[in-house]
Amino acid sequence: MYPRPIPEESPRARLFYMAGVALVLLLWLLPLCAVMLTSIKSTEEIMAGAYWTWPQRFSLIDNYTAVFTQTAMARFFLNSLIITVPSVILVLILSTLTGFVLARYRFPGNWLVFALFVGGNFLPAQIMMIPVRDLMVSLGLYDTFWALIIFHTAFQTGFATLFMRNFISALPDELFQAARAEGASPAQTLIHVVAPLMRPALAALAILTFTFVWNDYFWAVVLTQSDTVKPVTAGLNNLRGEWTSAWNIVAAATIVVAIPPVTMFFLMQRHFIAGLTMGAVKG
Amino acid sequence: MTSVWRRQLRRISPFLFILPGALLFGTVILLACVETVYISFHDWDGMGAMRWIGFGNYAELIADPQFYVSLKNNLIWLALFMLAPPLGLALALLVNQQIAGMRIVKSLFFMPLVLASVTVGLVFGWVYDPNFGLLALIVQAFGGEPPALLSDENTVTYAIVLAGLWPQVAFCMVLFLAGLNNLSSDLIGAGRVDGARGLAMFRHVVLPQLTQVSFIALAVSVIGALRSFDMIAVMTAGGPFGSSTVLAYQMYEQSIFSYRFGYGAAIATVLFVIMAAFITWYLLMMNRMERRG
């Protein structure tokens, strides 16, 4: 262990340590706490300019109900789900296939193909904006869910391939030798040998991809226009323009946007961290 | 007959497996990048016909003062984002203790990482608000005049970068925590037996074992810095007077708002060249590390 563990027999050292950590954590999350505080304040208080005082009247339910009933956030929320869930599923399927081949079959250009997946995934998305937008317009997909689903699936496949290739490479060689000795075809190997071991990788990749796609803002503004298609991130920014002085409502909407990824993160924290570090560290 | 067919299928099935992913990624992502370079040699409004103008867009770019503003801001982003790895390491060292409750503490530290950049932008927009923001409140408590960071040309980029650092530091912290967990306890123990303590221990025993993680943390920070777009779009839309734009934002603005897709593509190409140089270096380093094992 490094740094040296704080000794268990010294409760005072532990207390000091925990107090220090709590202080740093409070400072670290202060901006977020402030938004949470604003989101439960009543409109009267906001109007009066009392942003930072403790709320006199809690309007938690009022504000969050308002977000869903008086704004288009419910629609945006649904749109985000319609875009994110299929993208995640498609990415998982495609990257399992590409990762399996790149990890287990030696062929000329193997490393080049892998490098293109990884390299392409690192490019700032703005570089491909003009052709991708043009492509979606000419396919008649501009301002539809499909435009975002197709783009996100394509883009995330890059990172996901890196991830899956590294995961499948790390599986024990004996499994694959045994499969070959038994005369299993590539498809059989994938279904009977690889697939049963994929659960942790799939879980990690699912939560990562979900977060990336859900949080996207750039493509939301580039590929969509109407409220019926727009995901929450773009919707939130519009809301801010419309509800300029109702900070409590905008704050509540901000929290609502953050809830799905944050919940997923807390529920599947270990997978998230493992995914992020494996994707990056072993790559 | 069937067995020949089956053998053939076996031989080509790896190729069939990789095809859908490679095709999609190749056309939507990679080909698009090449197309951007092609478009950059044209005058194009995004709808009508393209007109070949050779290096015309680049000639204009070199003379465009806004281009240098963007380039300078990109450098500021890059330079300040280099703070993310050391800060992330510091936080990782702070919380790497096995005490009841530390798991929750760690996840709370990671939180900014899972927030959308729009959310981060909005949150910091509130922090910086000169009328009621958190910063104004703190400055007023000390009797100062609250600064309007986001409407001052000299401070605006730094203020946005600071907001961008928030999730980036959390990202580096995650990486370093994983690195700290993989430290060889033998080496640490040997160091302790040899009397290595404090800074000496950190520099000569711990840091060498974190080389790879540090490299990754640095790389993701470079990429994060060059990707900056959302936060600028949400917090200032490039303003005031275009003083907070970066290449990515200038490109977006020129294309989407001014219908100058050829010019936008030229800006994107510059970004592409910078990024491609970096990625090539990264991939070569990665390949070398993988060979070393």
Side-chain angles (χ1 to χ4, degrees), chain B residues 4 8 12 15 20 39 70 86 115 124 134 138 142 144-145 152 156 180 193 221 231 243 262 267 291:
Chain B
V4 173
Q8 284 304 321
I12 60 159
F15 175 73
I39 294 172
S70 304
L115 298 178
F124 272 82
L134 197 55
I138 294 169
F142 287 99
E145 186 68 20
D152 182 336
V156 61
L180 288 176
V193 170
S221 299
M231 229 95 70
S243 58
I267 303 170
R291 290 224 174 113

Side-chain angles (χ1 to χ4, degrees), chain A residues 131-183:
Chain A
V132 168
R133 189 173 179 279
D134 191 41
L135 176 76
M136 296 306 173
V137 171
S138 54
L139 289 175
L141 296 178
Y142 176 77
D143 204 23
T144 68
F145 292 127
W146 282 109
L148 285 171
I149 293 172
I150 291 173
F151 178 80
H152 286 310
T153 305
F155 192 67
Q156 297 303 334
T157 298
F159 171 78
T161 297
L162 159 74
F163 184 92
M164 285 304 196
R165 182 256 195 189
N166 287 346
F167 182 85
I168 297 172
S169 287
L171 295 176
D173 271 328
E174 295 76 37
L175 287 174
F176 295 90
Q177 281 157 10
R180 207 165 301 147
E182 303 257 329

